[in-house]
Every structure is written in C-alpha cells, then in structure tokens.
Amino acid sequence: MSSNTSRMRDIFRIKTSRALDRMEDPREALDDSYDQQVRMLQQVRQGLAEVATARKRIELQGQEMGARYQRLAQQAQEALTQGREDLARKALERRSLLEGQVAALRDQHAMLERQQAQLQENERRLTERLEAFRVEKETMKASYTASQAQARANEVAAGISTQMNDAGASLNRAKDKIAQMQARASATEELLASGALNDLTAPADSDLERQLAAGAAKADVERQLQSMKDAAAAGSRDGAGSNPNDPDSWKSIGQGSSAP
C-alpha cells in the first residue's frame, strides 16, 4: 500500500514539474528576448532609412539651389551687358538671399549626416550583439533540450526500476507460495501413505487394501530372495525360462517365476 502511494506521489510530482516547465520554458523566454531585440534593430534601421531619405532630399534641394545660384549670376552678367543695371541688381539681390537659404540648408544637411553616421554605428553594434545573442540563445536552447531529454530518460529508467522491483517482489512471493504448497502436498502425501490422514474421496476400506497390497509385495520380494538363495545353493541360475536376449522377454515380467 505504501509503495503504491509513493509511486502515485512521484507521478504527480513529475507531471506537476512538467506542467511548470511548459509554463516557464526558458527556450520561449530566450526566443521572446531575441524577437524584442530584432524589433529594436528594425526600428533603428527604419530611423536610419528615414534620416538617409531626408538627407538625400536636402541634397537634391541644395543641387536645385546651386543651379539657380549659377543661373542668377549669369542673368546678372547678361543684364549688365544689356545695360540693365536694375535687372542685374535684382538678380544679385535674389542671389544674395539664396546664399542665406543655402547656408541654412547646408547646416541641416550636416546635422543629418551626423545623425545618419550615429545611427549606422548603432545599427552595426546592435547587429553584432544580436548575432552573438542568437548564437548563445541557440546553444542554451540545445543544452536545455538535451538536459530535458536526459531528465525524461532518467525518469523513465527510474519508473522501470520501480516496476522491476515490484515484479521481483511479486516473483519472490510466488516462489514462497509454491514452496509452501509443495511442502504441504508432500506432507499430505506422506500422511495418506501412512494412513494417518484419511482420504475422504477414496473408496471404503481402501486403507486395508493398500496395507494388504504392501504386505503381498513384501512377501513376493522375500520369496524371490529365497528363490535366488536356493538357486545359488544348487549351482544353477533360474531365468524363469526366459532368454535375456529375446526381444519379447519383457512380456514374461510378473508372470510365473519372479526370480531375476
């Protein structure tokens, strides 16, 4: 009874432990952490793409301003050639205003270049860290899986050992019962043979018949012994008329003379 209770307690503990392992599987925690870092890296790359796009837009705008700046210089020169100082002055005024806009655009472009460089460095470091974490994560997951498999194998082996112990105990009990039954059968057989124990299923007066048969067998042995002694004294051997080499000699056993 106690062994069954202990086995049930062990089974319940193992099942509970497995349920907790499924709820707190470190492999899932590692994968979740890795996914979070992947999302962070995606956000950094998205920001890097946005900054690079803004920088490129400023570069295109700066190229347009540069082309206009050159065109205004040409227009001012052409106005002077035509004697139109007023147009030349207007072109130079616009050119001067454009210089201020280009200066502001240049500062903004430099700022975006610094931001892009910083984001590129962050992206490089995060990528390296993420790759290192991925390798370590897969290694830890493999180690956990191997340890889990070994633990389950050990649990199965422990269960087999317990069952084998129970089977061995059952086998020993069976052997003891068989030995007891054999001893009991032998004892009752001896009692029946001696007449101390009556066989209720035997015919009436069977004990007398058994004793008479035993006395007759004993008398027959004594008679055969005396016959052998007489034959030895007469210097002859009584073969009961049988030839030992005769293949049918067995048929005369128990008939006529019983001398050997």
Side-chain angles (χ1 to χ4, degrees):
M1 186 67 178
S2 60
S3 61
N4 292 334
T5 303
S6 178
R7 191 183 309 108
M8 290 294 295
R9 185 166 54 249
D10 292 340
I11 293 174
F12 178 77
R13 177 182 56 79
I14 291 172
K15 289 186 176 181
T16 303
S17 177
R18 288 179 177 174
L20 293 175
D21 286 343
R22 285 193 296 268
M23 294 174 59
E24 302 177 356
D25 194 335
R27 294 170 296 187
E28 295 182 0
L30 289 172
D31 287 336
D32 291 341
S33 180
Y34 179 77
D35 292 340
Q36 292 178 2
Q37 295 186 46
V38 169
R39 288 193 291 270
M40 291 175 57
L41 179 59
Q42 291 174 347
Q43 292 175 358
V44 171
R45 288 176 175 173
Q46 183 178 358
L48 179 59
E50 292 175 354
V51 171
T53 300
R55 180 186 59 79
K56 188 64 177 178
R57 188 181 300 115
I58 289 176
E59 288 179 355
L60 294 175
Q61 188 176 357
Q63 292 174 4
E64 292 177 358
M65 287 182 175
R68 183 186 176 193
Y69 186 80
Q70 295 297 331
R71 187 168 59 253
L72 287 171
Q74 294 174 359
Q75 289 175 347
Q77 185 63 42
E78 184 176 355
L80 287 176
T81 302
Q82 295 179 5
R84 297 289 304 274
E85 291 186 3
D86 56 334
L87 292 179
R89 186 178 293 106
K90 185 178 294 186
L92 290 175
E93 288 176 354
R94 291 180 181 179
R95 192 169 185 262
S96 178
L97 180 62
L98 190 61
E99 288 178 356
Q101 294 176 351
V102 169
L105 194 65
R106 185 170 53 246
D107 292 341
Q108 189 175 3
H109 182 268
M111 180 187 66
L112 290 175
E113 282 187 333
R114 290 192 296 270
Q115 289 181 355
Q116 182 177 350
Q118 184 63 41
L119 286 173
Q120 287 177 339
E121 180 65 18
N122 292 341
E123 190 270 344
R124 183 188 64 80
R125 291 180 179 178
L126 187 56
T127 300
E128 292 177 353
R129 286 169 50 190
L130 187 60
E131 178 61 21
F133 181 80
R134 185 190 67 81
V135 173
E136 185 176 4
K137 172 181 72 74
E138 294 301 326
T139 302
M140 294 177 66
K141 286 175 61 178
S143 299
Y144 180 83
T145 301
S147 300
Q148 186 182 48
Q150 182 179 4
R152 289 178 178 175
N154 291 340
E155 291 172 358
V156 172
I160 293 175
S161 177
T162 302
Q163 293 178 0
M164 290 300 292
N165 290 336
D166 294 342
S170 299
L171 182 61
N172 290 332
R173 288 194 298 270
K175 288 180 178 180
D176 292 340
K177 289 183 178 180
I178 291 173
Q180 292 175 3
M181 192 58 65
Q182 289 176 344
R184 181 178 177 183
S186 178
T188 53
E189 184 178 359
E190 291 179 359
L191 291 174
L192 285 172
S194 64
L197 183 65
N198 293 328
D199 186 1
L200 299 179
T201 62
D205 303 326
S206 60
D207 56 336
L208 295 177
E209 294 180 359
R210 186 169 55 253
Q211 294 180 19
L212 289 174
K218 183 176 181 181
D220 186 62
V221 170
E222 293 296 331
R223 182 181 57 77
Q224 293 182 38
L225 182 60
Q226 186 60 43
S227 177
M228 291 175 62
K229 291 180 178 180
D230 294 343
S236 64
R237 299 181 59 187
D238 184 4
S242 63
N243 184 6
N245 295 325
D246 185 1
D248 294 330
S249 61
W250 61 273
K251 295 180 180 179
S252 63
I253 295 177
Q255 297 179 359
S257 176
S258 299

